[in-house]
Amino acid sequence: MQSIIAKNGTETPVPIRAQVEGSVPSWLQGTLLRNGPGMFSVGGHEYNHWFDGLSLIHSFTFVNGEVTYRSKFLKSDTYKKNTKAQRIVVSEFGTMSYPDPCKNIFSRAFTHLCNIIPDFTDNNLINIIRYGEDYYASSEINYLNQVDPNTLETVGRINYRNHIAVNLATAHPHYDEEGNTYNMGTSLMGLGLPKYVIFKVPANASDKELKKPALRKVQQICSIPFRSTLFPSYYHSFGMTENYIVFVEQPFKLDIAKLATAYFRGVNWGSCLKYDKNDITLFHVINRKTGKALSTRYYGDALVVFHHLNAYEDDGHLVFDLISYKDSNLYDMFYIHNLKQDNSNFIDSHKSFSLPMCQRFVLPLDIHKESPRGSNTVTLTDTSAQATVQENGSVYCQPDDLFEGLELPGINYKFNAKKYRYFYGSRLEWSPHPNKIAKFDIVTRTHVEWCQENSFPSEPVFVASPGAVDEDDGVILSSVISPDPNISPFLLVLNAKTFEELARASIPANVHMDLHGMFIPASV
């Protein structure tokens, strides 16, 4: 695995046809867009962390049973500056860059001053998101780069701060049935105290003719003050139900003072994230229509969360499922020097790292002054999750453990914000990189898996069959790579109901491991 994980990828700018074995369903028409790090060194300079690599966008296009593949590096300002200089000149979260010593003293001094308040990279390597009809490569910073989903060309950069006062934003928004996009960000600078901001971009916000960005019509839904002014919670995603937004304010925090001085202290921004295992986790519930937060204080034990699975309302309760960790070591596992270890050494040196746990929390919504103290107030019969009202009226929540060792989760998105039964994900058993894909049945608490020796599948993406009624009526798509030169990279197509392989499309080109993406159906 070490031979392919941190090696620079290559572009395939002209579409190439894959060799299909099996049968791709004729109804599967559209493009699977994927994003992830693809360049880990520039000139003689190497990135320290896998999440720092320059973004490489992939597309797998399905037309009448055939599959074509193409890939292009995101032509961000970061990419252009680095490749022009033939060295890493833009800092990333795990790699701090300093001025060329050959520059004059005035230029170096100006660069140092600019880094008092970091203006983050625009290397958007995490996901593909949609605002209106515009598609963007995204990460967790104030910049987005619009991409053409058909050609993978980089259209141009936009700045959240030109439209709404946020310095950081998630790469995992939610979409409602009308096509509106909901997201949240962190406002560190601006009027008033720092806060978390939840916002909405209407489905009809794009203006193709005048090429105006959809973000110009952004609407702020609400803001939530930091629990601790100088230590905002890190978050990678959030939950959404029909009526509510769920924000988990975890004790995995960003130290603002350290962030502001990181450059001068010679440490990277990633080192400014700290986990306080002795703190609590707060669960904020906000009415997404009124912007008002519920007055009840819901909390749980310390945890670290990156990905939410789903959330919904059920008989007076708010149910939300997420993937939690007992520590924050996942980020450390992805430093390049760790990934370059052979598998046996990697396993031995990381035995203490906690495995991801899929957990269900249940919050009773009708908590009032007369609610009984000291006993479980969850009345749902299909979960062991508990919520106990304390003497001061706050509610202590304990989760129902669903499944251990799964990450990069996905669902049938038509069931997002609704009661659901199945989720899919990548199995993490011995490495930070998945070696299996799993489907978990929440009702029966059982799972099925797909795997192939010495092969590493990407995040599974569910695509529903036309007119499907059953939640798992559709296919699972995943890009699979292998360090074995005899195994070509391929796009895997599974029957989501049975997990049987329907087809694989072998790609006669280099394909790099990715992170997240989305399927865009062909326009009718």
Side-chain angles (χ1 to χ4, degrees), residues 12-291:
T12 306
V14 178
I16 56 173
R17 181 177 294 184
Q19 183 68 40
V20 176
E21 298 175 46
S23 179
V24 175
S26 59
W27 56 261
L28 185 61
Q29 307 276 333
T31 297
L32 176 67
L33 282 188
R34 306 290 302 164
N35 193 359
M39 186 184 294
F40 301 93
S41 64
V42 184
H45 294 242
E46 295 186 352
Y47 286 114
N48 297 328
H49 201 279
W50 196 68
F51 294 154
D52 293 345
L54 294 174
S55 165
L56 181 61
I57 311 286
H58 314 258
S59 70
F60 302 84
T61 299
F62 302 84
V63 179
N64 300 328
E66 295 185 344
V67 182
T68 53
Y69 170 79
R70 79 192 310 171
S71 65
K72 290 181 183 179
F73 283 108
L74 182 72
K75 302 307 188 295
S76 61
D77 282 11
T78 297
Y79 174 92
K80 294 173 185 174
K81 289 176 181 176
N82 286 347
T83 52
K84 182 179 179 181
Q86 274 303 290
R87 63 189 292 266
I88 297 170
V89 297
V90 180
S91 295
E92 303 290 340
F93 276 84
T95 308
M96 194 64 78
S97 171
Y98 291 91
D100 188 330
C102 297
K103 281 188 175 182
N104 66 52
I105 190 169
F106 298 107
S107 177
R108 294 207 305 274
F110 178 74
T111 303
H112 281 273
L113 284 171
C114 287
N115 279 279
I116 294 174
I117 298 295
D119 188 24
F120 296 124
T121 167
D122 69 338
N123 176 32
N124 302 121
L125 76 155
I126 294 179
N127 203 0
I128 302 291
I129 66 176
R130 177 181 58 75
Y131 286 123
E133 297 177 27
D134 306 337
Y135 292 90
Y136 295 91
S138 66
S139 45
E140 298 181 327
I141 49 186
N142 58 292
Y143 292 116
L144 292 165
N145 273 285
Q146 187 177 352
V147 294
D148 183 322
N150 297 312
T151 66
L152 303 190
E153 288 298 315
T154 304
V155 177
R157 185 172 87 166
I158 66 168
N159 189 341
Y160 275 116
R161 294 203 305 246
N162 291 339
H163 305 280
I164 189 167
V166 296
N167 305 88
L168 306 167
T170 90
H172 289 287
H174 283 282
Y175 310 96
D176 65 17
E177 291 180 335
E178 288 75 45
N180 303 306
T181 305
Y182 294 79
N183 207 348
M184 67 176 296
T186 300
S187 177
L188 298 175
M189 298 169 287
L191 298 174
L193 293 172
K195 52 192 174 288
Y196 311 107
V197 176
I198 296 170
F199 58 90
K200 168 186 173 182
V201 178
N204 62 356
S206 295
D207 186 339
K208 295 286 187 184
E209 291 183 11
L210 298 176
K211 296 184 179 179
K212 292 182 179 178
L215 269 178
R216 80 192 193 286
K217 290 192 175 180
V218 64
Q219 304 164 7
Q220 179 172 316
I221 294 176
C222 74
S223 63
I224 304 165
F226 293 174
R227 182 175 14 156
S228 175
T229 303
L230 292 177
F231 298 93
S233 170
Y234 171 79
Y235 55 95
H236 187 74
S237 60
F238 60 100
M240 186 173 83
T241 72
E242 182 183 355
N243 295 296
Y244 299 101
I245 298 286
V246 184
F247 167 49
V248 177
E249 192 174 16
Q250 61 184 334
F252 185 34
K253 306 171 187 177
L254 183 63
D255 186 324
I256 297 296
K258 284 188 175 180
L259 182 74
T261 58
Y263 187 84
F264 301 107
R265 291 184 294 112
V267 298
N268 63 47
W269 291 321
S271 68
C272 303
L273 288 166
K274 296 297 178 186
Y275 175 56
D276 184 354
K277 65 181 181 184
N278 298 313
D279 202 350
I280 61 170
T281 301
L282 286 180
F283 305 121
H284 298 276
V285 180
I286 300 100
N287 186 309
R288 76 182 224 212
K289 296 176 176 66
T290 67

